[in-house]
Coordinates of all heavy atoms in Angstrom, one line a residue:
M1 N -72.8 51.2 1.0 CA -71.5 50.7 0.4 C -71.2 49.3 1.0 O -71.3 49.1 2.2 CB -70.4 51.7 0.9 CG -70.4 52.9 0.0 SD -68.9 53.9 0.4 CE -69.6 55.1 1.5
P2 N -70.8 48.4 0.2 CA -70.4 47.1 0.7 C -69.1 47.2 1.5 O -68.2 48.0 1.3 CB -70.1 46.3 -0.6 CG -70.8 47.1 -1.7 CD -70.8 48.5 -1.2
A3 N -69.1 46.3 2.5 CA -67.9 46.2 3.4 C -66.9 45.2 2.9 O -67.2 44.2 2.3 CB -68.4 45.9 4.8
V4 N -65.6 45.5 3.3 CA -64.6 44.5 3.1 C -64.1 44.2 4.5 O -64.2 44.9 5.4 CB -63.4 45.0 2.2 CG1 -63.9 45.3 0.8 CG2 -62.8 46.3 2.8
R5 N -63.5 43.0 4.6 CA -63.0 42.5 5.9 C -61.5 42.8 5.8 O -60.8 42.4 4.9 CB -63.2 41.0 6.0 CG -62.7 40.4 7.3 CD -63.0 38.9 7.3 NE -62.5 38.3 8.5 CZ -62.2 37.0 8.5 NH1 -62.3 36.2 7.5 NH2 -61.7 36.5 9.6
V6 N -60.9 43.4 6.9 CA -59.5 43.8 7.0 C -58.9 43.0 8.1 O -59.4 43.2 9.3 CB -59.3 45.3 7.1 CG1 -57.8 45.6 7.2 CG2 -60.0 46.1 6.0
L7 N -57.8 42.3 7.9 CA -57.1 41.6 8.9 C -55.8 42.2 9.2 O -55.1 42.6 8.2 CB -56.9 40.1 8.5 CG -58.2 39.4 8.1 CD1 -57.8 38.0 7.5 CD2 -59.1 39.2 9.2
F8 N -55.4 42.3 10.4 CA -54.1 42.9 10.8 C -53.2 41.8 11.4 O -53.7 41.0 12.2 CB -54.3 44.0 11.9 CG -55.2 45.1 11.5 CD1 -56.4 45.3 12.0 CD2 -54.7 46.1 10.6 CE1 -57.3 46.3 11.6 CE2 -55.5 47.1 10.2 CZ -56.8 47.2 10.7
F9 N -52.0 41.8 11.0 CA -51.0 40.8 11.5 C -49.8 41.4 12.2 O -49.4 42.6 11.9 CB -50.6 39.9 10.4 CG -51.6 39.0 9.8 CD1 -52.5 39.5 8.8 CD2 -51.9 37.8 10.4 CE1 -53.5 38.6 8.3 CE2 -52.9 37.0 9.9 CZ -53.7 37.4 8.9
A10 N -49.3 40.7 13.2 CA -48.0 41.1 13.9 C -48.1 42.4 14.5 O -49.1 42.7 15.2 CB -46.8 40.9 12.9
T11 N -47.2 43.3 14.3 CA -47.2 44.6 15.0 C -48.3 45.5 14.6 O -48.8 46.4 15.3 CB -45.8 45.4 14.7 OG1 -45.7 45.5 13.3 CG2 -44.7 44.6 15.3
L12 N -48.9 45.3 13.4 CA -50.0 46.1 13.0 C -51.3 45.7 13.8 O -52.1 46.6 14.1 CB -50.3 45.9 11.5 CG -49.2 46.3 10.5 CD1 -49.6 46.0 9.1 CD2 -48.9 47.7 10.7
K13 N -51.4 44.5 14.2 CA -52.5 44.1 15.1 C -52.3 44.7 16.4 O -53.3 45.2 17.0 CB -52.5 42.5 15.2 CG -53.6 42.0 16.1 CD -53.6 40.5 16.1 CE -52.5 39.9 16.9 NZ -52.7 38.4 17.1
D14 N -51.1 44.8 16.9 CA -50.9 45.5 18.2 C -51.2 46.9 18.1 O -51.8 47.5 19.0 CB -49.4 45.3 18.6 CG -49.0 43.8 18.9 OD1 -50.0 43.0 19.1 OD2 -47.9 43.5 18.7
R15 N -50.8 47.6 17.1 CA -51.0 49.0 16.9 C -52.5 49.3 16.8 O -53.0 50.3 17.3 CB -50.3 49.6 15.7 CG -48.8 49.7 15.9 CD -48.2 50.4 14.7 NE -46.7 50.4 14.8 CZ -46.0 51.4 14.3 NH1 -46.5 52.4 13.6 NH2 -44.7 51.4 14.5
A16 N -53.2 48.5 16.0 CA -54.6 48.8 15.8 C -55.4 48.4 17.1 O -56.5 48.9 17.3 CB -55.1 47.9 14.6
G17 N -54.9 47.5 17.9 CA -55.6 47.1 19.1 C -56.7 46.1 18.8 O -57.5 45.8 19.6
L18 N -56.7 45.5 17.6 CA -57.6 44.5 17.2 C -57.1 43.7 16.1 O -56.2 44.1 15.4 CB -59.0 45.0 16.9 CG -59.1 46.3 16.0 CD1 -59.1 45.9 14.6 CD2 -60.4 47.0 16.3
Q19 N -57.7 42.5 15.9 CA -57.2 41.6 14.8 C -57.8 41.9 13.5 O -57.2 41.6 12.4 CB -57.4 40.1 15.2 CG -56.9 39.1 14.3 CD -57.0 37.7 14.8 OE1 -57.2 37.5 16.0 NE2 -56.9 36.7 13.9
E20 N -59.1 42.3 13.5 CA -59.8 42.6 12.2 C -60.8 43.7 12.4 O -61.2 44.0 13.5 CB -60.4 41.3 11.7 CG -61.6 40.8 12.4 CD -62.2 39.6 11.7 OE1 -61.6 38.5 11.8 OE2 -63.2 39.8 11.0
T21 N -61.2 44.2 11.3 CA -62.2 45.3 11.2 C -62.9 45.2 9.9 O -62.5 44.4 9.0 CB -61.7 46.7 11.5 OG1 -62.7 47.6 11.7 CG2 -60.8 47.1 10.3
R22 N -63.9 45.9 9.7 CA -64.6 46.0 8.4 C -64.6 47.5 7.9 O -64.6 48.4 8.8 CB -66.1 45.6 8.5 CG -66.2 44.1 8.9 CD -67.6 43.6 8.5 NE -67.6 42.2 8.7 CZ -67.3 41.2 7.8 NH1 -66.8 41.6 6.7 NH2 -67.3 40.0 8.1
L23 N -64.4 47.7 6.7 CA -64.4 49.0 6.0 C -65.5 49.0 5.0 O -65.6 48.1 4.2 CB -63.1 49.3 5.4 CG -61.9 49.7 6.2 CD1 -60.7 50.0 5.3 CD2 -62.2 51.0 7.0
D24 N -66.2 50.1 4.9 CA -67.1 50.4 3.8 C -66.3 51.1 2.7 O -65.7 52.1 2.9 CB -68.3 51.2 4.2 CG -69.2 50.5 5.2 OD1 -69.3 49.3 5.0 OD2 -69.8 51.1 6.1
L25 N -66.3 50.6 1.5 CA -65.6 51.1 0.4 C -66.6 51.4 -0.8 O -67.5 50.6 -1.0 CB -64.5 50.2 -0.1 CG -63.4 49.8 0.8 CD1 -62.5 48.8 0.2 CD2 -62.6 51.0 1.2
P26 N -66.3 52.5 -1.5 CA -67.1 52.7 -2.7 C -66.7 51.7 -3.8 O -65.6 51.1 -3.8 CB -66.7 54.1 -3.1 CG -65.4 54.3 -2.6 CD -65.3 53.5 -1.3
E27 N -67.6 51.4 -4.7 CA -67.3 50.5 -5.8 C -66.2 51.1 -6.6 O -66.1 52.3 -6.8 CB -68.6 50.3 -6.7 CG -68.4 49.2 -7.7 CD -69.7 48.9 -8.4 OE1 -70.8 49.2 -7.8 OE2 -69.7 48.3 -9.4
G28 N -65.3 50.2 -7.0 CA -64.1 50.7 -7.8 C -62.9 51.2 -6.9 O -62.0 51.7 -7.4
A29 N -63.0 50.9 -5.6 CA -61.9 51.4 -4.7 C -60.6 50.6 -5.0 O -60.6 49.5 -5.6 CB -62.3 51.1 -3.3
R30 N -59.5 51.3 -4.7 CA -58.2 50.7 -4.9 C -57.5 50.5 -3.6 O -57.9 51.1 -2.6 CB -57.4 51.7 -5.8 CG -58.0 52.1 -7.1 CD -57.7 51.0 -8.1 NE -58.5 51.3 -9.3 CZ -58.4 50.5 -10.4 NH1 -57.7 49.4 -10.3 NH2 -59.1 50.8 -11.4
V31 N -56.5 49.8 -3.6 CA -55.7 49.5 -2.3 C -55.3 50.8 -1.7 O -55.3 51.0 -0.5 CB -54.5 48.6 -2.6 CG1 -53.6 48.5 -1.4 CG2 -55.0 47.2 -3.0
R32 N -54.9 51.8 -2.5 CA -54.5 53.1 -2.0 C -55.6 53.7 -1.0 O -55.3 54.2 0.0 CB -54.2 54.0 -3.1 CG -53.9 55.5 -2.7 CD -53.6 56.4 -3.9 NE -52.3 56.0 -4.5 CZ -52.3 55.3 -5.7 NH1 -53.4 55.0 -6.4 NH2 -51.1 55.0 -6.3
Q33 N -56.8 53.6 -1.4 CA -57.9 54.1 -0.6 C -58.1 53.3 0.7 O -58.4 53.9 1.7 CB -59.2 54.1 -1.4 CG -59.2 55.1 -2.6 CD -60.4 54.8 -3.5 OE1 -60.4 53.9 -4.2 NE2 -61.4 55.7 -3.4
V34 N -57.8 52.0 0.7 CA -57.9 51.3 1.9 C -56.8 51.8 2.9 O -57.1 52.0 4.0 CB -57.7 49.7 1.6 CG1 -57.5 49.0 2.9 CG2 -58.8 49.2 0.8
R35 N -55.6 52.0 2.4 CA -54.5 52.5 3.2 C -54.9 53.8 3.8 O -54.7 54.1 5.0 CB -53.3 52.7 2.4 CG -52.6 51.4 2.0 CD -51.3 51.8 1.3 NE -50.7 50.7 0.6 CZ -49.8 49.9 1.1 NH1 -49.5 50.0 2.4 NH2 -49.3 48.9 0.4
E36 N -55.5 54.7 3.0 CA -55.9 56.1 3.5 C -57.0 56.0 4.6 O -56.9 56.6 5.6 CB -56.4 56.9 2.3 CG -55.3 57.3 1.4 CD -55.9 57.9 0.1 OE1 -57.1 58.1 -0.1 OE2 -55.0 58.2 -0.8
L37 N -58.0 55.1 4.3 CA -59.1 55.0 5.3 C -58.6 54.4 6.6 O -59.0 54.8 7.7 CB -60.2 54.1 4.7 CG -61.0 54.8 3.6 CD1 -61.9 53.8 3.0 CD2 -61.9 55.9 4.2
L38 N -57.7 53.4 6.5 CA -57.2 52.8 7.7 C -56.3 53.8 8.5 O -56.4 53.8 9.8 CB -56.4 51.5 7.4 CG -57.2 50.3 6.9 CD1 -56.2 49.2 6.4 CD2 -58.1 49.8 8.0
S39 N -55.5 54.6 7.9 CA -54.7 55.6 8.5 C -55.6 56.6 9.3 O -55.3 57.1 10.3 CB -53.8 56.3 7.6 OG -52.8 55.4 7.1
Q40 N -56.8 56.9 8.7 CA -57.7 57.9 9.3 C -58.4 57.2 10.5 O -58.5 57.9 11.5 CB -58.7 58.4 8.3 CG -58.2 59.2 7.2 CD -59.1 59.5 6.1 OE1 -60.3 59.1 6.1 NE2 -58.6 60.1 5.0
R41 N -58.9 56.0 10.3 CA -59.6 55.4 11.4 C -58.8 54.9 12.5 O -59.2 54.9 13.7 CB -60.4 54.1 10.8 CG -61.2 53.5 11.9 CD -61.9 52.3 11.4 NE -63.0 52.5 10.6 CZ -63.8 51.6 10.1 NH1 -63.6 50.3 10.4 NH2 -64.8 51.9 9.3
F42 N -57.5 54.5 12.3 CA -56.6 54.1 13.3 C -55.3 54.9 13.2 O -54.3 54.5 12.6 CB -56.2 52.6 13.0 CG -57.4 51.7 13.1 CD1 -58.0 51.3 11.9 CD2 -58.0 51.2 14.3 CE1 -59.1 50.4 11.9 CE2 -59.0 50.4 14.3 CZ -59.6 50.0 13.1
P43 N -55.3 56.1 13.9 CA -54.2 57.0 13.9 C -52.9 56.3 14.3 O -51.8 56.6 13.8 CB -54.5 58.1 14.8 CG -56.0 58.1 14.8 CD -56.4 56.7 14.6
A44 N -52.9 55.3 15.2 CA -51.7 54.6 15.6 C -51.1 53.8 14.4 O -49.9 53.4 14.5 CB -52.1 53.6 16.8
L45 N -51.9 53.5 13.4 CA -51.4 52.8 12.2 C -50.8 53.7 11.1 O -50.2 53.2 10.2 CB -52.5 52.0 11.6 CG -53.0 50.7 12.3 CD1 -54.1 50.1 11.6 CD2 -51.8 49.7 12.5
A46 N -51.1 55.0 11.2 CA -50.8 55.9 10.1 C -49.4 55.9 9.7 O -49.1 55.9 8.5 CB -51.2 57.4 10.5
E47 N -48.4 55.7 10.6 CA -47.0 55.7 10.2 C -46.6 54.4 9.6 O -45.8 54.3 8.7 CB -46.2 55.9 11.5 CG -44.7 56.0 11.2 CD -43.9 56.3 12.5 OE1 -44.2 57.2 13.2 OE2 -43.0 55.5 12.8
A48 N -47.3 53.3 10.0 CA -46.9 52.0 9.5 C -47.6 51.5 8.2 O -47.1 50.7 7.4 CB -47.2 50.9 10.6
V49 N -48.8 52.0 8.0 CA -49.7 51.6 6.8 C -49.0 51.8 5.5 O -49.1 51.0 4.6 CB -51.1 52.2 6.9 CG1 -51.8 52.1 5.6 CG2 -51.9 51.5 8.0
P50 N -48.3 53.0 5.2 CA -47.8 53.2 3.9 C -46.7 52.1 3.5 O -46.6 51.8 2.3 CB -47.1 54.5 4.0 CG -47.9 55.2 5.1 CD -48.2 54.2 6.1
S51 N -46.0 51.5 4.4 CA -45.0 50.5 4.1 C -45.5 49.1 4.3 O -44.8 48.1 4.1 CB -43.7 50.7 4.9 OG -44.0 50.6 6.3
A52 N -46.8 48.9 4.8 CA -47.3 47.6 5.0 C -47.5 46.8 3.7 O -47.8 47.4 2.7 CB -48.6 47.7 5.8
L53 N -47.3 45.5 3.8 CA -47.6 44.6 2.7 C -49.1 44.3 2.7 O -49.7 44.1 3.8 CB -46.9 43.3 2.8 CG -45.3 43.4 2.8 CD1 -44.7 42.1 3.1 CD2 -44.8 44.0 1.5
V54 N -49.8 44.4 1.6 CA -51.2 44.2 1.5 C -51.5 43.0 0.6 O -50.9 42.9 -0.5 CB -51.9 45.5 0.9 CG1 -53.4 45.3 0.8 CG2 -51.6 46.7 1.8
A55 N -52.4 42.2 1.1 CA -53.0 41.1 0.2 C -54.5 41.3 0.1 O -55.1 41.6 1.1 CB -52.6 39.8 0.9
V56 N -55.0 41.1 -1.1 CA -56.4 41.2 -1.4 C -56.8 39.8 -1.8 O -56.3 39.2 -2.8 CB -56.7 42.2 -2.5 CG1 -58.2 42.2 -2.8 CG2 -56.3 43.6 -2.0
N57 N -57.7 39.2 -1.0 CA -58.1 37.8 -1.3 C -56.9 36.9 -1.5 O -56.9 36.1 -2.4 CB -59.1 37.7 -2.5 CG -60.4 38.4 -2.2 OD1 -60.9 38.5 -1.1 ND2 -61.0 39.0 -3.3
R58 N -56.0 37.0 -0.5 CA -54.8 36.1 -0.4 C -53.8 36.3 -1.5 O -53.0 35.4 -1.8 CB -55.2 34.7 -0.2 CG -56.0 34.5 1.1 CD -56.5 33.1 1.3 NE -57.4 33.1 2.5 CZ -57.5 32.1 3.3 NH1 -56.9 31.0 3.0 NH2 -58.3 32.2 4.3
E59 N -53.9 37.4 -2.3 CA -52.9 37.6 -3.3 C -52.3 39.0 -3.0 O -53.0 40.0 -2.8 CB -53.6 37.7 -4.7 CG -54.3 36.5 -5.1 CD -53.5 35.6 -5.9 OE1 -52.5 36.0 -6.6 OE2 -53.8 34.4 -5.9
F60 N -50.9 39.1 -3.0 CA -50.3 40.4 -2.8 C -50.8 41.4 -3.8 O -51.0 41.1 -4.9 CB -48.8 40.3 -2.8 CG -48.2 39.6 -1.6 CD1 -47.7 38.4 -1.6 CD2 -48.3 40.3 -0.4 CE1 -47.2 37.8 -0.5 CE2 -47.8 39.7 0.8 CZ -47.2 38.4 0.7
A61 N -51.0 42.6 -3.3 CA -51.6 43.7 -4.1 C -50.8 45.0 -3.9 O -50.1 45.2 -2.9 CB -53.0 43.9 -3.6
F62 N -50.9 45.8 -4.9 CA -50.2 47.1 -5.0 C -51.3 48.2 -4.9 O -52.5 48.0 -5.1 CB -49.4 47.2 -6.2 CG -48.3 46.2 -6.3 CD1 -48.5 45.0 -6.9 CD2 -47.1 46.3 -5.6 CE1 -47.6 44.0 -7.0 CE2 -46.2 45.4 -5.6 CZ -46.4 44.2 -6.3
D63 N -50.8 49.5 -4.7 CA -51.7 50.6 -4.5 C -52.8 50.8 -5.5 O -53.9 51.2 -5.3 CB -50.9 51.9 -4.2 CG -50.4 52.0 -2.8 OD1 -50.7 51.2 -2.0 OD2 -49.5 52.9 -2.6
D64 N -52.4 50.6 -6.8 CA -53.4 50.8 -7.9 C -54.3 49.6 -8.2 O -55.1 49.7 -9.0 CB -52.6 51.2 -9.2 CG -52.0 52.6 -9.0 OD1 -52.6 53.4 -8.3 OD2 -51.0 52.8 -9.7
D65 N -54.1 48.5 -7.5 CA -54.9 47.3 -7.7 C -56.4 47.6 -7.1 O -56.5 48.2 -6.1 CB -54.3 46.1 -7.0 CG -53.1 45.6 -7.7 OD1 -52.9 46.0 -8.9 OD2 -52.3 44.8 -7.1
P66 N -57.4 47.1 -7.8 CA -58.7 47.2 -7.4 C -59.0 46.3 -6.2 O -58.4 45.3 -6.0 CB -59.6 46.8 -8.6 CG -58.7 45.9 -9.4 CD -57.3 46.4 -9.1
V67 N -60.0 46.7 -5.4 CA -60.5 45.9 -4.3 C -61.9 45.5 -4.6 O -62.8 46.3 -4.6 CB -60.4 46.7 -3.0 CG1 -61.0 45.9 -1.8 CG2 -59.0 47.2 -2.7
P68 N -62.1 44.2 -4.9 CA -63.4 43.7 -5.2 C -64.4 43.9 -4.0 O -64.0 43.8 -2.8 CB -63.3 42.3 -5.5 CG -61.8 42.0 -5.6 CD -61.1 43.1 -4.9
L69 N -65.6 44.1 -4.3 CA -66.6 44.1 -3.2 C -66.6 42.8 -2.4 O -66.5 41.8 -3.0 CB -68.0 44.4 -3.8 CG -68.1 45.7 -4.7 CD1 -69.5 45.8 -5.2 CD2 -67.8 46.9 -3.9
G70 N -66.7 43.0 -1.1 CA -66.7 41.8 -0.2 C -65.3 41.1 -0.1 O -65.2 40.0 0.5
A71 N -64.3 41.8 -0.5 CA -62.9 41.2 -0.4 C -62.4 41.1 1.0 O -62.9 41.7 2.0 CB -61.9 42.1 -1.2
E72 N -61.4 40.2 1.2 CA -60.7 40.0 2.4 C -59.3 40.7 2.2 O -58.6 40.3 1.2 CB -60.5 38.6 2.8 CG -59.7 38.4 4.1 CD -59.4 36.9 4.3 OE1 -58.4 36.4 3.8 OE2 -60.2 36.3 5.1
I73 N -59.0 41.6 3.0 CA -57.7 42.4 2.9 C -56.9 42.1 4.1 O -57.4 42.1 5.2 CB -58.0 43.9 2.8 CG1 -58.9 44.2 1.6 CG2 -56.7 44.7 2.7 CD1 -59.4 45.6 1.5
A74 N -55.6 41.7 3.9 CA -54.7 41.4 5.0 C -53.6 42.4 4.9 O -53.0 42.7 3.8 CB -54.2 40.0 4.9
L75 N -53.2 42.9 6.1 CA -52.0 43.8 6.2 C -50.9 43.2 7.0 O -51.2 42.8 8.2 CB -52.4 45.2 6.8 CG -53.0 46.2 5.8 CD1 -54.5 45.9 5.6 CD2 -52.8 47.6 6.2
F76 N -49.7 43.2 6.5 CA -48.6 42.7 7.2 C -47.5 43.7 7.3 O -47.3 44.5 6.3 CB -48.0 41.5 6.4 CG -48.9 40.4 6.1 CD1 -49.7 40.5 4.9 CD2 -49.1 39.4 7.0 CE1 -50.6 39.5 4.6 CE2 -50.0 38.3 6.7 CZ -50.8 38.4 5.5
P77 N -46.7 43.8 8.4 CA -45.6 44.7 8.4 C -44.6 44.3 7.4 O -44.5 43.1 7.1 CB -45.1 44.6 9.9 CG -45.7 43.4 10.4 CD -46.9 43.0 9.6
P78 N -43.7 45.2 6.9 CA -42.7 44.8 6.0 C -41.7 43.8 6.7 O -41.5 43.9 7.9 CB -42.0 46.1 5.6 CG -42.4 47.1 6.6 CD -43.7 46.6 7.2
V79 N -41.2 42.9 5.9 CA -40.3 41.9 6.4 C -38.8 42.4 6.1 O -38.6 42.8 5.0 CB -40.6 40.6 5.8 CG1 -39.6 39.5 6.3 CG2 -42.0 40.1 6.1
S80 N -38.0 42.3 7.0 CA -36.6 42.6 6.8 C -35.7 41.6 7.5 O -36.2 40.8 8.3 CB -36.3 44.0 7.2 OG -36.4 44.1 8.6
G81 N -34.4 41.7 7.3 CA -33.5 40.9 8.0 C -33.0 39.8 7.1 O -33.1 39.8 5.9
G82 N -32.4 38.8 7.7 CA -31.8 37.7 6.9 C -30.3 37.7 7.1 O -29.7 38.6 7.7
H83 N -29.7 36.8 6.5 CA -28.2 36.7 6.5 C -27.6 36.8 5.1 O -28.2 36.3 4.2 CB -27.8 35.3 7.1 CG -28.2 35.2 8.6 ND1 -29.4 34.8 8.9 CD2 -27.5 35.5 9.7 CE1 -29.5 34.8 10.3 NE2 -28.3 35.2 10.7
A84 N -26.5 37.4 5.1 CA -25.8 37.6 3.8 C -24.9 36.4 3.5 O -24.5 35.7 4.3 CB -24.9 38.9 3.8

């Protein structure tokens, strides 16, 4: 199975204990499967991964979006705050 590169940012990097990892994905995998695999591999991320923002090849992606072979996937914690 081809690997994808996964990058963690901000608090997700702290929870994972590393800045990046590689995941082997089956052809035709979706963002949802990446979330599931990361939650299994990194239990400390399991609570945060469902609400994390995901980018595939520097484009924001949703759970049903495909993950191309050899893709770069980035995970960011959700952003909140601001002034009214």
Side-chain angles (χ1 to χ4, degrees):
M1 280 189 261
V4 295
R5 180 178 179 209
V6 181
L7 306 172
F8 301 107
F9 290 90
T11 57
L12 299 178
K13 179 172 78 172
D14 297 336
R15 287 183 183 213
L18 45 83
Q19 184 172 342
E20 71 177 78
T21 190
R22 294 201 177 273
L23 279 182
D24 290 328
L25 296 177
E27 192 168 341
R30 305 279 173 180
V31 170
R32 175 179 293 106
Q33 290 170 288
V34 172
R35 289 184 193 271
E36 291 167 2
L37 288 170
L38 290 172
S39 293
Q40 292 168 9
R41 184 183 284 182
F42 300 98
L45 288 176
E47 186 178 304
V49 165
S51 61
L53 300 174
V54 177
V56 176
N57 293 330
R58 300 180 185 205
E59 301 268 336
F60 284 110
F62 299 95
D63 282 347
D64 289 329
D65 288 342
V67 178
L69 302 178
E72 178 186 86
I73 300 168
L75 276 83
F76 305 89
V79 178
S80 65
H83 294 86

